Amino acid sequence: LPLCFPEKLWKMLESDQFQSIWWSEGGKCVAINKDLFEVEVLGRGVCQRVFNTQHIRSVIRQLNLYGFTKVQRDFQRSASLPEFLSEEAAASAHSQILYYYNPSFNRAHPWLLGTCRRR
């Protein structure tokens, strides 16, 4: 039987084969480097494809269908201009990283994976 979307996602996160997707927030969130993911995962040839799409929009749609919600990163800003500018540069690089959370998708609780159902 082919794996369902959450199972594929879990296998990717647990694999050391992908640099564009990883566990975040102590295993409670999925972090995706959007640009790298598009090349590394979605740009693969037909035989090596993980998902049946080449579009990040479709992957995000699947995340939403399985109850994942996008998490906004909240950065504390410094008062001094040089520190603020360096933080802005880091934040813009960080903006390519998408964070998604699902209470049933937690690295510390793999048995909850079975409760991740499509809406």
Side-chain angles (χ1 to χ4, degrees), residues 68-106:
F68 286 81
T69 54
K70 189 172 183 180
V71 179
Q72 296 297 327
R73 305 298 298 163
D74 190 23
F75 293 103
Q76 295 291 326
R77 300 291 183 202
S78 294
S80 76
L81 184 59
E83 286 180 25
F84 177 79
L85 292 175
S86 68
E87 288 170 1
E88 280 297 303
S92 70
H94 224 274
S95 69
Q96 291 302 313
I97 300 175
L98 309 173
Y99 296 90
Y100 284 89
Y101 170 77
N102 181 326
S104 297
F105 199 86
N106 186 317

Side-chain angles (χ1 to χ4, degrees), residues 12-13 15-23 31-34 36-37 40-41 44 97:
M12 288 178 70
L13 288 161
S15 165
D16 58 0
Q17 187 178 358
F18 302 98
Q19 306 303 307
S20 59
I21 185 168
W22 63 93
W23 290 105
I32 301 170
N33 180 318
K34 185 176 168 252
L36 185 56
F37 189 85
E40 182 184 57
V41 178
R44 290 175 160 220
I97 300 175

Side-chain angles (χ1 to χ4, degrees), residues 3-68:
L3 298 175
C4 69
F5 179 81
E7 292 168 337
K8 288 180 185 179
L9 195 62
W10 188 282
K11 283 183 110 30
M12 288 178 70
L13 288 161
E14 290 297 310
S15 165
D16 58 0
Q17 187 178 358
F18 302 98
Q19 306 303 307
S20 59
I21 185 168
W22 63 93
W23 290 105
S24 173
E25 306 297 324
K28 294 179 182 163
C29 287
V30 175
I32 301 170
N33 180 318
K34 185 176 168 252
D35 292 342
L36 185 56
F37 189 85
E38 287 176 331
V39 173
E40 182 184 57
V41 178
L42 302 177
R44 290 175 160 220
V46 176
C47 296
Q48 295 181 313
R49 251 187 219 144
V50 178
F51 302 114
N52 294 330
T53 184
Q54 292 178 292
H55 305 286
I56 190 76
R57 287 186 318 268
S58 298
V59 174
I60 291 170
R61 189 176 309 118
Q62 286 293 313
L63 286 165
N64 291 325
L65 281 171
Y66 279 93
F68 286 81

